[in-house]
Amino acid sequence: MWRDLRALRERDPAATNVVEILLCYPGLHAIWFHRVASGLWRLRIPVLPRLVSHFSRFITGIDIHPGARIGRGFFIDHGAAVVIGETAVIGDDVTLYQGVTLGGTGKERGKRHPTIGDRVVVGAGAKVLGGIEVGDDVYIGANAVVLRDVPPNCTVVGVPGRITRRDTKRVPGVSLDHTHLPDPVTRHLELLEKEVQAIEQHLHLWHSSAQESLLREMIEETETGMPRERRPERTSEPPEVEEPREGGL
């Protein structure tokens, strides 16, 4: 629990003192309620774990199933409308923003919620659905919908989520930058725009060349006084010689 408190102080610049954190941070309250509910759940005590979870949801607005397994240093920023399903597994030093859902995709039983690696940052409104695995040091952009496994050291953006690998090594420690992420759709649109501009330049050059050719033909017509299609064509063949008739002189 103290590691959860330390994680909040390290990642939230608005956290000024311990008393304020203990009294006014619903994300921390939800985590601590879950620690209690999860312990009761593992002891197979009926009803009571769900009651603790339900009370926590009523107080904090954060819905965490008692069966979810959450690592150390977990941080929920703001916390409103965060949902974590029964079979979800969350690693150490993970950060979730408001509106995040770690949910299932159907009525199947067994492992139906995602597994989140260490030092993962999930942006506001993102949805990670199904029994998929998200590797360590992954950044999930705001409002992304992740439906497939994500390898480590990647970023995921868009709907459905598209993976973009980082070219540089990750800076050690926990980074909360989930806004400055590469967007593959924007990059492809920029490439298409460059191709269109290149085609327009080629068309412009072709049009200029065609105009010059037409102007040259008009000048020739003016000099000769005859349209080009009516001018006699030059030939290098000799004129035909009429053969003498039979019986002639």
Side-chain angles (χ1 to χ4, degrees):
M1 291 186 179
W2 290 112
R3 183 165 176 176
D4 297 328
L5 178 62
R6 186 172 68 250
L8 192 152
R9 296 193 65 180
E10 291 175 352
R11 300 177 212 172
D12 190 352
T16 56
N17 59 77
V18 176
V19 176
E20 180 180 331
I21 292 173
L22 293 176
L23 297 178
C24 304
Y25 275 77
L28 183 63
H29 300 158
I31 295 171
W32 285 355
F33 274 120
H34 172 72
R35 304 291 187 197
V36 175
S38 179
L40 298 174
W41 180 270
R42 293 179 183 179
L43 293 174
R44 299 184 180 276
I45 298 176
V47 183
L48 187 57
R50 296 303 301 268
L51 286 177
V52 175
S53 175
H54 186 71
F55 178 76
S56 173
R57 178 183 179 185
F58 177 77
I59 297 296
T60 65
I62 299 171
D63 186 2
I64 307 178
H65 194 281
R69 296 164 54 190
I70 298 178
R72 298 173 298 175
F74 185 48
F75 174 49
I76 303 176
D77 194 10
H78 297 290
V82 170
V83 178
I84 301 176
E86 176 187 3
T87 60
V89 179
I90 300 176
D92 296 336
D93 299 315
V94 173
T95 301
L96 305 185
Y97 285 84
Q98 66 272 15
V100 169
T101 298
L102 306 181
T105 56
K107 297 181 180 180
E108 69 276 6
R109 295 184 179 275
K111 186 71 170 73
R112 59 189 184 278
H113 298 95
T115 298
I116 308 296
D118 298 336
R119 297 174 300 279
V120 174
V121 177
V122 185
K127 307 294 184 287
V128 186
L129 306 177
I132 63 176
E133 294 187 5
V134 177
D136 299 339
D137 304 310
V138 168
Y139 293 81
I140 299 177
N143 293 317
V145 178
V146 183
L147 303 174
R148 297 181 179 179
D149 293 344
V150 181
N153 299 297
C154 289
T155 60
V156 181
V157 297
V159 181
R162 292 173 295 274
I163 297 175
T164 303
R165 291 188 178 276
R166 284 185 178 272
D167 297 329
T168 57
K169 294 182 179 179
R170 183 181 180 276
V171 179
V174 178
S175 174
L176 301 181
D177 185 7
H178 63 291
T179 57
H180 298 88
L181 303 177
D183 188 349
V185 175
T186 301
R187 185 168 63 250
H188 289 315
L189 291 176
E190 290 175 352
L191 292 175
L192 287 175
E193 184 178 359
K194 291 181 180 179
E195 292 181 0
V196 170
Q197 291 177 355
I199 293 173
E200 289 179 348
Q201 291 178 357
H202 285 300
L203 289 175
H204 179 71
L205 293 175
W206 177 82
H207 185 64
S208 300
S209 177
Q211 286 184 335
E212 291 179 0
S213 177
L214 181 61
L215 181 60
R216 192 180 301 111
E217 292 179 2
M218 293 176 64
I219 294 174
E220 291 178 359
E221 291 177 2
T222 303
E223 292 176 351
T224 58
M226 183 180 299
R228 182 176 180 180
E229 59 272 9
R230 295 183 181 180
R231 288 183 225 154
E233 296 183 359
R234 297 178 183 179
T235 178
S236 58
E237 297 179 0
E240 297 181 358
V241 179
E242 185 177 357
E243 297 180 359
R245 300 178 181 177
E246 296 181 0
L249 296 176

